[in-house]
């Protein structure tokens, strides 16, 4: 777990066989999660939560027991060129990620689209 505005760059790491791959929480507006390989995760591969505004770019997430990518609790991260394979992507109510050029091969569950059809997601 990493949080707040640490200004951390988390780059080119391999994270395997963990309960949670990466969890970013708090403002995190200057955090960068880039080119990481996250695989064989028991729970959630990548979670951005509690107002997180980090940037996640060119990460690979695969084979997770629960979510490959979870954006919740008013998080508004920028997600660019990430690949999530064989895992559900979940965007919970109130979260507003900016999604650009991502590849999601599993199920996508967007609470904002289901609960409020007039809320236009930012893709």
């Amino acid at each position: 777990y990493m949080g707040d505005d640490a200004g951390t760059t988390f780059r080119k790491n391999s994270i395997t066989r963990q309960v949670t791959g990466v969890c970013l929480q708090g403002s995190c507006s200057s955090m960068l999660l880039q080119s990481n390989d996250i695989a064989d995760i028991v729970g959630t591969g990548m979670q951005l939560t509690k107002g997180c505004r980090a940037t996640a770019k060119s990460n690979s997430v695969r084979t997770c027991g629960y979510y490959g990518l979870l954006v919740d609790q008013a998080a508004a991260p920028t997600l660019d060129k990430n690949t999530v394979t064989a895992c559900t992507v979940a965007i919970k109510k109130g979260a507003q990620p900016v999604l650009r050029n991502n590849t999601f091969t599993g199920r996508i569950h967007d609470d904002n689209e289901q609960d409020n059809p007039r809320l236009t997601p930012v893709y």
Side-chain angles (χ1 to χ4, degrees):
Y1 288 82
M2 293 180 274
D4 295 321
D5 262 338
T8 303
T9 297
F10 195 70
R11 183 180 289 139
K12 295 186 179 180
N13 296 283
S14 178
I15 302 166
T16 59
R17 299 183 195 105
Q18 301 296 315
V19 174
T20 300
V22 174
C23 179
L24 302 181
Q25 60 186 1
S27 173
C28 339
S29 61
S30 60
M31 291 182 110
L32 173 63
L33 184 65
Q34 183 175 20
S35 302
N36 296 288
D37 183 45
I38 303 167
D40 302 320
I41 302 299
V42 174
T44 298
M46 189 164 45
Q47 181 180 9
L48 300 118
T49 188
K50 297 181 182 173
C52 180
R53 298 190 184 290
T55 297
K57 185 174 184 176
S58 302
N59 296 288
S60 173
V61 180
R62 64 188 184 284
T63 319
C64 299
Y66 206 58
Y67 295 121
L69 172 63
L70 172 60
V71 183
D72 66 350
Q73 296 186 25
T78 298
L79 305 170
D80 187 17
K81 298 179 185 170
N82 298 288
T83 301
V84 179
T85 307
C87 308
T88 298
V89 171
I91 301 169
K92 297 296 185 177
K93 188 172 182 178
Q96 294 185 323
V98 175
L99 302 172
R100 298 184 185 130
N101 307 307
N102 297 286
T103 302
F104 302 143
T105 63
R107 189 173 138 238
I108 299 173
H109 180 83
D110 187 344
D111 285 345
N112 293 305
E113 287 183 357
Q114 292 177 3
D115 294 336
N116 185 357
R118 293 186 180 164
L119 177 64
T120 305
V122 180
Y123 293 102

